[in-house]
Amino acid sequence: MKAVILAGGEGTRLHPLTYTRPKTLIPILDRPMVNYTLDYFREGVDEIIFAAGHMVAELRSYMDSIGEGSRVKIVTEENPLGTGGAVKNVESLLDEPFIVLNADIISSINMQEFISFAEDKGGMGSIALFPSSHPEDYGVVELEEGQRIVRFVEKPTREEAFSNLINAGVYYLKPEILDLMEPNKFVSMEREVFPLIIQDGFFGYRFDGHWVDVGKVDTYLEAVRTLLDIKGSRIDEASQIGDGVEIVDPIYVGPRSVKRSGRLGPLTSVGNGCDLGTSEITGSVLFDEVRLGENVGVTDSVLGEGVVVGDNSTLKGCVIGDGEVIDEGSNLVDQKVGMR
Ligand code: GDD
Ligand code: MG
């Protein structure tokens, strides 16, 4: 079986972090996000096709570096073709029923169980569904008995949202669906194709556990915090956290990171080779090689690779792009630094 990964979005809502890397390579704890995508396909899928468009060279060299170069094909779209157009664009690589997956999903879905469900149900295909308290941000689905989808509306208004079941961004589709799309044309799978196939049998597989769309800074932080909650604390052996550091679980600290005193956590992830000085860090993500000065406070923020924060500074609700330097004595709230 083959899987098509929709990875062509520019990750605009994650700027400035996605100026310097594709969304698929944003770190989540110890690994870039794309690894969580590949984890769904440890078995049963022999070819993974990335429909990509933004920073493709970086994605390709990362795939080679983790030894996935042969199972993974990366197809580049010159101009974004939309979620449907992107699948149509790789039609020549598809024959049997295939999986489509949004590249920005962190979830507990059991892919084998989903595939078995879809094979049993038949019709034009199936999609995975997850309950949400803010369905209007997503594709909203109405299910009837027998798990049949009777309505699909992409991003309705809050008042219009008729159910709390949302499209989790995982599809099993019959190749016939490709006949409904014109080649080289922008097509939205959710707005133009799904409403058409409802009459031909389209099924919804509900799952529980966790599901996060890592599309915005707050949902990125939510994804990291969710995994920290599930996995618990992990501090790499090759890091040096002083005895005087107050650790509030759960946290993740990568190799070669150093902290002398202060507080770390809860819900905080620190990459490799960071120097955290005497800071207090809560609810935040620090990418690799971040350097914090003396008496720095970081709360609910994301600090990109190589960020340097001067002494006596505080950051709250901030997103700092790779390599940025924050002057000493700064006090930043809800700011993005590193915008182009
Ligand atoms: N190749 C390609 N070309 N990929 C694209 C394009 C495109 O033109 N546009 C978007 N994508 C990719 C994105 O990179 C992302 O991985 C996925 O398709 C979904 O796009 P988003 O831009 O993240 O959409 P969304 O999150 O607002 O909504 C979608 O996902 C929700 C679940 O996370 C919809 O499918 C909703 O119905 C769904 O609930
Ligand atoms: Mg998304």
Side-chain angles (χ1 to χ4, degrees):
M1 175 165 247
K2 297 182 183 180
V4 180
I5 313 299
L6 296 173
E10 278 191 36
T12 317
R13 292 168 290 179
L14 283 168
H15 284 164
L17 304 169
T18 41
Y19 282 135
T20 38
R21 61 176 68 67
K23 189 152 86 169
T24 43
L25 297 187
I26 296 258
I28 298 202
L29 305 183
D30 57 339
R31 306 181 299 165
M33 183 158 71
V34 70
N35 290 280
Y36 297 80
T37 304
L38 296 173
D39 282 350
Y40 297 126
F41 304 117
R42 292 208 170 200
E43 47 186 298
V45 166
D46 42 35
E47 191 171 300
I48 302 178
I49 303 158
F50 279 82
H54 174 62
M55 306 193 103
V56 172
E58 284 80 356
L59 179 60
R60 191 170 312 228
S61 66
Y62 183 72
M63 288 300 165
D64 290 340
S65 78
I66 59 168
E68 283 282 5
S70 55
R71 193 167 63 132
V72 165
K73 275 205 172 83
I74 303 180
V75 177
T76 310
E77 279 159 57
E78 290 303 321
N79 294 305
L81 290 167
T83 46
V87 179
K88 180 75 179 174
N89 192 43
V90 299
E91 181 169 20
S92 62
L93 302 173
L94 302 170
D95 37 28
E96 298 164 340
F98 52 92
I99 300 292
V100 176
L101 185 79
N102 289 352
D104 56 354
I105 299 304
I106 297 288
S107 84
S108 55
I109 189 170
N110 179 329
M111 196 60 75
Q112 290 306 318
E113 206 178 282
F114 170 65
I115 293 171
S116 302
F117 169 93
E119 286 172 348
D120 279 356
K121 290 291 177 187
M124 285 296 261
S126 291
I127 69 176
L129 307 176
F130 195 82
S132 169
S133 54
H134 40 100
E136 67 279 6
D137 291 346
Y138 304 103
V140 179
V141 172
E142 184 179 342
L143 268 192
E144 66 170 25
E145 259 175 61
Q147 316 283 98
R148 200 179 167 122
I149 295 173
V150 287
R151 202 152 38 133
F152 185 103
V153 179
E154 180 67 11
K155 305 201 176 86
T157 63
R158 195 173 173 86
E159 296 71 47
E160 280 166 0
F162 43 82
S163 137
N164 73 335
L165 277 183
I166 60 151
N167 168 20
V170 185
Y171 320 137
Y172 171 103
L173 301 173
K174 293 274 172 68
E176 291 86 323
I177 201 170
L178 297 164
D179 301 338
L180 301 170
M181 297 178 248
E182 275 182 51
N184 298 314
K185 205 177 147 244
F186 187 99
V187 181
S188 160
M189 187 76 96
E190 300 85 345
R191 294 178 196 276
E192 299 172 63
V193 181
F194 288 167
L196 285 183
I197 61 174
I198 281 173
Q199 62 200 34
D200 302 314
F202 192 37
F203 297 89
Y205 165 86
R206 296 168 64 145
F207 69 99
D208 298 310
H210 64 272
W211 177 91
V212 186
D213 173 335
V214 185
K216 301 179 278 184
V217 173
D218 59 340
T219 59
Y220 168 60
L221 283 170
E222 183 189 335
V224 172
R225 292 169 184 174
T226 301
L227 292 180
L228 282 168
D229 268 333
I230 292 168
K231 291 171 186 257
S233 286
R234 182 150 77 87
I235 300 176
D236 192 277
E237 285 171 9
S239 63
Q240 295 169 40
I241 305 298
D243 291 339
V245 175
E246 182 193 349
I247 292 177
V248 190
D249 295 321
I251 61 167
Y252 167 76
V253 181
R256 294 180 295 100
S257 286
V258 180
K259 184 158 175 53
R260 279 173 285 136
S261 60
R263 198 178 65 228
L264 193 53
L267 299 169
T268 290
S269 170
V270 174
N272 306 349
C274 293
D275 184 344
L276 307 178
T278 56
S279 51
E280 311 242 310
I281 314 173
T282 306
S284 296
V285 178
L286 277 55
F287 290 13
D288 295 345
E289 314 289 340
V290 169
R291 285 195 353 247
L292 306 181
E294 299 300 306
N295 189 29
V296 166
V298 180
T299 309
D300 298 337
S301 296
V302 185
L303 275 51
E305 197 169 322
V307 165
V308 178
V309 182
D311 298 346
N312 303 313
S313 295
T314 56
L315 304 178
K316 187 169 192 310
C318 292
V319 186
I320 314 295
D322 290 353
E324 295 291 330
V325 177
I326 305 297
D327 292 339
E328 61 175 75
S330 300
N331 182 5
L332 307 183
V333 179
D334 292 339
Q335 287 199 32
K336 292 192 176 185
V337 177
M339 301 298 287
R340 286 192 187 152

